[in-house]
């Protein structure tokens, strides 16, 4: 995976003024665009699309300072007008092309990334692979922004709005693994960009034969393999740390890759104030 990401960075560098075909590139690597984008964003700390934009505007800054025609520069980097180019330029550098041409800066350069794998070997990840038949996730869904660190207030508000009786009804309805009340994230941006919207479902898993009440939302999940990571400790800190470690440690060391589908968190046990919890993180995977 590390070698593939470095090849992706080289591909971007060779095509700063051309369209990128990440799907074909991923196929050539023997992986998928979905997995490649997710691993890039997890390890780089930014979406691939954001990295490409920053690198293009870094290269474009040299052309702007060089005195070329602004419309020609805009078109060269894939923008149809000087206004669109100016907005992208300002979002990276904090100033417009005219300011840079006049004053020479300030500029915010995005260096070319290099990925390296550091093997620590001091963290044991409690993981199992589960092969599951098709099932359904049912409950109450809402569109919320993605937040990488700390509690998500939008999710908290969504859950808090549900009466206690509804939690009990959902628990009684669940009849499949993952067991118990679940925190489900679906329809997530492949770049995993913070602030992008996802569908969050608070619910349970049922077999695909279970009759689902009409007032509940449902997500159909096809049969497939899942990597299940067990975590214990501070909530949600320990869970989020484990999620990050799947990209930095587990996937680079194991013959599996992410496949499209919902990610699921099952709360197995928790403190009364939810300060600590034992969880299982279920990620849909396939053989790499």
């Amino acid at each position: 995976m590390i070698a593939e990401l470095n090849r992706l960075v080289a591909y971007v560098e060779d095509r700063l003024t051309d369209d990128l075909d990440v799907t074909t590139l991923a196929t050539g690597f023997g992986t998928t665009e979905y997995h490649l984008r997710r691993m890039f964003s997890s390890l780089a700390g930014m979406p691939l699309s954001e990295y490409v934009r920053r690198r293009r505007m870094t290269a474009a800054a040299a052309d702007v300072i060089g005195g070329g025609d602004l419309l020609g520069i805009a078109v060269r980097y894939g923008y149809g007008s000087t206004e669109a180019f100016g907005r992208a330029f300002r979002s990276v550098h904090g100033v417009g092309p005219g300011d840079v041409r006049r004053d020479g800066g300030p500029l915010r350069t995005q260096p070319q990334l290099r990925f390296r794998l550091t093997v620590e070997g001091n963290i044991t990840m409690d993981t199992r692979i589960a092969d599951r038949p098709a099932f359904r996730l049912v409950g109450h869904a809402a569109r919320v922004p993605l937040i990488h660190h700390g509690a998500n207030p939008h999710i908290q508000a969504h859950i808090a709005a549900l009466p206690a009786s509804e939690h009990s009804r959902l628990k009684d309805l669940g009849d499949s693994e993952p067991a118990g009340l679940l925190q489900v994230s679906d329809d997530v941006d492949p770049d995993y960009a913070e602030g992008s919207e996802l569908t969050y479902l608070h619910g349970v898993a049922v077999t695909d034969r279970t009759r689902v009440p009409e007032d509940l939302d449902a997500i159909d999940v096809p049969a497939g393999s899942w990597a299940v990571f067990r975590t214990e400790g501070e909530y949600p800190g320990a869970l989020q740390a484990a999620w990050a470690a799947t990209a930095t440690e587990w996937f680079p060391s194991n013959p599996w890759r992410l496949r499209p589908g919902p990610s699921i968190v099952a709360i197995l046990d928790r403190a009364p104030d939810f300060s600590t919890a034992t969880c299982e993180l279920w990620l849909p995977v396939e053989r790499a």
Side-chain angles (χ1 to χ4, degrees):
M1 192 70 243
I2 299 301
E4 291 164 0
L5 289 173
N6 282 322
R7 289 168 65 189
L8 171 60
V9 168
Y11 174 81
V12 169
E13 210 60 24
D14 289 341
R15 291 164 177 79
L16 288 178
T17 58
D18 297 326
D19 293 334
L20 302 180
D21 187 354
V22 182
T23 301
T24 300
L25 184 69
T27 301
F29 290 169
T31 186
T32 64
E33 180 182 1
Y34 182 85
H35 184 69
L36 196 62
R37 285 183 178 274
R38 287 291 295 269
M39 291 299 101
F40 184 96
S41 69
S42 295
L43 295 174
M46 72 179 87
L48 175 60
S49 56
E50 174 65 13
Y51 173 71
V52 170
R53 185 171 64 89
R54 291 184 186 184
R55 283 298 298 149
R56 282 177 170 164
M57 291 303 100
T58 296
D63 293 344
V64 169
I65 292 175
D69 174 65
L70 284 181
L71 179 58
I73 295 173
V75 172
R76 186 180 313 140
Y77 287 94
Y79 294 89
S81 67
T82 55
E83 291 78 11
F85 173 74
R87 287 193 295 270
F89 193 94
R90 185 178 294 276
S91 70
V92 171
H93 297 292
V95 293
D99 301 311
V100 169
R101 177 164 288 180
R102 183 182 64 250
D103 303 326
L107 295 172
R108 298 171 183 166
T109 300
Q110 171 62 59
Q112 183 177 345
L113 289 178
R114 292 288 187 276
F115 291 94
R116 293 182 177 86
L117 176 61
T118 301
V119 180
E120 298 289 349
N122 59 348
I123 299 176
T124 300
M125 299 192 72
D126 186 352
T127 313
R128 62 187 171 92
I129 300 296
D131 291 319
R132 300 286 297 121
F135 63 95
R136 305 181 82 187
L137 296 162
V138 299
H140 297 275
R143 293 291 286 175
V144 300
L146 174 64
I147 295 177
H148 287 162
H149 304 289
N152 189 318
H154 306 277
I155 291 176
Q156 290 179 322
H158 175 62
I159 297 173
L162 300 175
S165 59
E166 191 59 20
H167 300 294
S168 299
R169 180 170 77 119
L170 289 173
K171 286 181 181 179
D172 292 340
L173 183 64
D175 61 3
S176 182
E177 277 199 304
L181 284 175
L182 307 174
Q183 303 172 354
V184 179
S185 298
D186 193 29
D187 193 23
V188 183
D189 173 26
D191 279 333
Y192 218 62
E194 184 154 20
S196 60
E197 283 201 335
L198 59 93
T199 296
Y200 174 82
L201 182 137
H202 180 75
V204 295
V206 300
T207 68
D208 57 358
R209 300 178 302 277
T210 301
R211 183 178 177 277
V212 178
E214 293 184 359
D215 64 326
L216 296 180
D217 301 301
I219 298 172
D220 290 313
V221 183
S225 297
W226 298 78
V228 185
F229 303 88
R230 185 183 177 97
T231 70
E232 297 182 16
E234 178 190 359
Y235 183 86
L239 177 63
Q240 290 172 334
W243 203 310
T246 64
T248 58
E249 298 182 31
W250 195 82
F251 280 109
S253 306
N254 289 275
W256 298 90
R257 66 188 177 204
L258 284 167
R259 58 182 172 88
S263 57
I264 305 168
V265 174
I267 307 298
L268 306 182
D269 190 25
R270 67 180 181 88
D273 62 355
F274 225 147
S275 59
T276 61
T278 300
C279 307
E280 280 187 345
L281 169 61
W282 290 61
L283 298 180
V285 296
E286 61 188 5
R287 282 278 181 179

